[in-house]
Amino acid sequence: MKILIIEDDLEAAAYLTKAFREAGIVADHASDGESGLFMATENAYDVAIIDRMLPRRDGLSVISELRRKGVHTPVLILSALGQVDDRVTGLRAGGDDYLPKPYAFSELLARVEVLGRRKGTPEQDVLYRVGDLELDRLSHEVRRGGKEILLQPREFRLLEYLMKNAGQVVTRTMLLENVWDYHFDPQTNVIDVHVSRLRSKIEKDFSQPLLKTIRGAGYMIKDEG
């Protein structure tokens, strides 16, 4: 199991990281909300432990943004705020469990193990397939017909989002918000440039096209073979 701990108390984070590793669980650490959001978005984790009060971006905001981006990693919220209303707020923000401070590590470990056993939703699939095209979210490898295709990080995120929504039209606005995190004119050609580069890489030397431009709407990746 691989987990992410987003905690600004460095002493507490060091203790948790060591304790989890002794329990056979790989633990990464981020000390603020922005760094934690980036790590949780860019990497696949079985569980995220998020402190509610964080610098740069609070814990509930991190969770809400992860859910908006389609990241459904189970989240356990740690907080000194332990009233019923606080817990309800945390769960409604997208958290899966809520543990007030102070807590016993044995209970935290048990809760993490329960969350880690949950079956992933389609958004959490490790391997995406469209025809003979495969994308591995853990290894960041892309292959078509068994041949490895090297992509830049942005191209990988673009393809990942398209494959997650295979068979559906993905608009430019959706791509700007979920791949670029931009909120401006969807007519900008930055998307067309990246799609063109991506298409040349995944369709070069292959007779069956997969990535289609839907005129006036956006893009779709689909196997019609």
Side-chain angles (χ1 to χ4, degrees):
M1 185 185 297
K2 184 178 181 181
I3 69 172
L4 173 64
I5 301 169
I6 309 178
E7 168 65 74
D8 63 321
D9 184 328
L10 298 184
E11 185 177 344
Y15 165 75
L16 288 178
T17 300
K18 182 175 183 291
F20 276 117
R21 287 176 178 169
E22 288 176 350
I25 296 174
V26 177
D28 291 342
H29 171 238
S31 58
D32 63 78
E34 284 293 343
S35 300
L37 176 61
F38 176 80
M39 291 177 67
T41 302
E42 294 295 314
N43 301 282
Y45 292 100
D46 296 297
V47 177
I49 300 173
I50 302 179
D51 185 55
R52 183 162 175 172
M53 296 181 181
L54 295 166
R56 298 184 67 195
R57 182 189 279 265
D58 70 90
L60 298 191
S61 172
V62 171
I63 298 167
S64 296
E65 184 65 10
L66 286 175
R67 299 311 187 225
R68 187 188 72 79
K69 289 175 176 289
V71 178
H72 293 274
T73 303
V75 171
L76 187 150
I77 302 170
L78 293 179
S79 177
L81 304 175
Q83 299 300 313
V84 173
D85 288 348
D86 298 318
R87 284 181 252 176
V88 170
T89 300
L91 295 173
R92 284 180 173 169
D96 298 275
D97 199 355
Y98 196 107
L99 184 59
K101 297 178 179 179
Y103 55 83
F105 178 75
S106 59
E107 181 180 3
L108 175 60
L109 176 61
R111 288 174 182 250
V112 166
E113 289 174 340
V114 169
L115 291 176
R117 288 197 296 267
R118 288 187 174 181
K119 297 296 184 181
T121 62
E123 290 83 1
Q124 286 179 280
D125 287 344
V126 171
L127 188 67
Y128 291 147
R129 289 191 181 92
V130 176
D132 59 351
L133 179 66
E134 296 184 350
L135 180 147
D136 191 316
R137 297 177 63 228
L138 289 182
S139 65
H140 273 230
E141 292 181 348
V142 175
R143 296 180 182 277
R144 185 165 184 193
K147 176 184 177 182
E148 185 174 5
I149 300 173
L150 300 178
L151 300 181
Q152 296 297 317
R154 186 74 68 181
E155 294 168 343
F156 184 91
R157 289 185 62 187
L158 173 60
L159 180 60
E160 180 183 16
Y161 190 77
L162 288 166
M163 292 182 74
K164 185 173 74 172
N165 296 279
Q168 304 176 41
V169 175
V170 174
T171 68
R172 288 177 173 80
T173 299
M174 291 167 66
L175 290 174
L176 283 172
E177 292 183 352
N178 291 279
V179 178
W180 275 266
D181 299 324
Y182 295 163
H183 298 276
F184 58 77
D185 184 6
Q187 298 306 314
T188 177
N189 72 346
V190 66
I191 291 177
D192 304 282
V193 171
H194 278 79
V195 168
S196 177
R197 291 175 181 169
L198 177 63
R199 180 183 281 122
S200 68
K201 290 186 177 182
I202 65 172
E203 297 188 349
K204 182 182 179 181
D205 300 327
F206 294 95
S207 59
Q208 179 65 40
L210 295 175
L211 181 52
K212 300 169 177 58
T213 299
I214 310 300
R215 188 176 299 276
Y219 305 94
M220 178 190 298
I221 193 163
K222 183 179 181 182
D223 176 30
E224 294 184 344

